[in-house]
Amino acid sequence: MVDDLMLERRGVMLVLSSPSGAGKTTIARELLSRDDKISMSVSTTTRPKRPGEVSGVDYHFVDKTEFNIKRNQQEFLESAKVFDNYYGTPAEPVMAALAEGMDILFDIDWQGTQQLAEKAPDDVVSVFILPPSHSELERRLNRRAQDTPEEVARRMSKAASELSHYAEYDYIIINNLLGESVMRVMSILTAERLKRRRAVGMSNFVKRLCEDG
Ligand code: 5GP
């Protein structure tokens, strides 16, 4: 990543996690539309495609056999079973984006976050999004209406165990007002981009500052 002053820096791997219905996907979409230096990691999943979802944009949809082959060939940076389906982060596009100087946004669960943080402890910044209340979480899960009522109920019951992982994250955002939450994620990203340890070109820059002419 090269900023306005052409200073080289390490890319940020920004992870957003939350129970379903906390508004994470909307926050991610907003962030991507406002910041052209961060791109989304598109996961591979065995979950059936929902109406409106696009292959290669929302997910790479594969069957279990294909998923296992990819996992065995070490094609994933991390992978996990979530709600009976398998999900994995393809490694190659992430490496390519980081090499091009982009920051990467991940919408993955706590299991994947743990694996990523182990692999790239200096690069991963993790944010957990909480819904403002139990009733609001329930309302958002129902409003989505893309899943069957059984699926909604199941996700609701899973929310508690997902929520218990909040303490493993670097930052917590309670998603009450969308605009405010997006601003908070952007503030985190801005601050993380400015961390000294990411500024790999800094010593040369400072050296030049001290040189004549
Ligand atoms: P959904 O099926 O509703 O799109 O996602 C269900 C859950 O799987 C969400 O919590 C989402 O963050 C998580 N998820 C999506 N992609 C990945 C991935 O590549 N790895 C992991 N570990 N979790 C993922």
Side-chain angles (χ1 to χ4, degrees), residues 24 43 47 50 59 78 80 87-89 107-109 112 155:
K24 169 187 53 176
S43 296
R47 165 168 81 58
R50 295 191 186 119
Y59 283 104
E78 60 74 35
Y87 296 81
T89 299
D107 173 343
I108 59 176
D109 81 330
R155 286 184 180 228

Side-chain angles (χ1 to χ4, degrees), residues 168-183:
E168 296 158 24
Y169 284 72
D170 298 319
Y171 297 92
I172 309 289
I173 291 176
I174 298 174
N175 184 23
N176 196 14
L177 298 170
L178 174 68
E180 189 68 32
S181 301
V182 175
M183 284 307 296

Side-chain angles (χ1 to χ4, degrees), residues 134-189:
H134 179 89
S135 55
E136 182 59 21
L137 176 63
E138 203 164 33
R139 203 176 65 80
R140 288 181 193 173
L141 276 177
N142 280 317
R143 197 178 47 189
R144 191 153 86 180
Q146 287 181 338
D147 297 316
T148 61
E150 296 77 38
E151 183 67 16
V152 172
R154 224 158 58 91
R155 286 184 180 228
M156 196 70 209
S157 74
K158 282 245 180 182
S161 69
E162 287 182 59
L163 286 169
S164 70
H165 289 277
Y166 79 91
E168 296 158 24
Y169 284 72
D170 298 319
Y171 297 92
I172 309 289
I173 291 176
I174 298 174
N175 184 23
N176 196 14
L177 298 170
L178 174 68
E180 189 68 32
S181 301
V182 175
M183 284 307 296
R184 288 178 181 175
V185 176
M186 291 179 82
S187 304
I188 291 166
L189 185 55

Side-chain angles (χ1 to χ4, degrees), residues 60-107:
H60 302 289
F61 296 95
V62 298
D63 60 24
K64 249 186 197 159
T65 312
E66 203 179 331
F67 189 92
N68 282 333
I69 292 171
K70 286 177 182 300
R71 191 171 49 189
N72 293 340
Q73 290 177 339
Q74 322 275 326
E75 286 186 27
F76 297 133
L77 270 182
E78 60 74 35
S79 64
K81 189 178 181 193
V82 189
F83 307 119
D84 299 335
N85 295 305
Y86 292 88
Y87 296 81
T89 299
E92 203 275 325
V94 172
M95 294 315 172
L98 285 174
E100 275 174 26
M102 294 290 285
D103 298 314
I104 320 284
L105 183 63
F106 300 85
D107 173 343

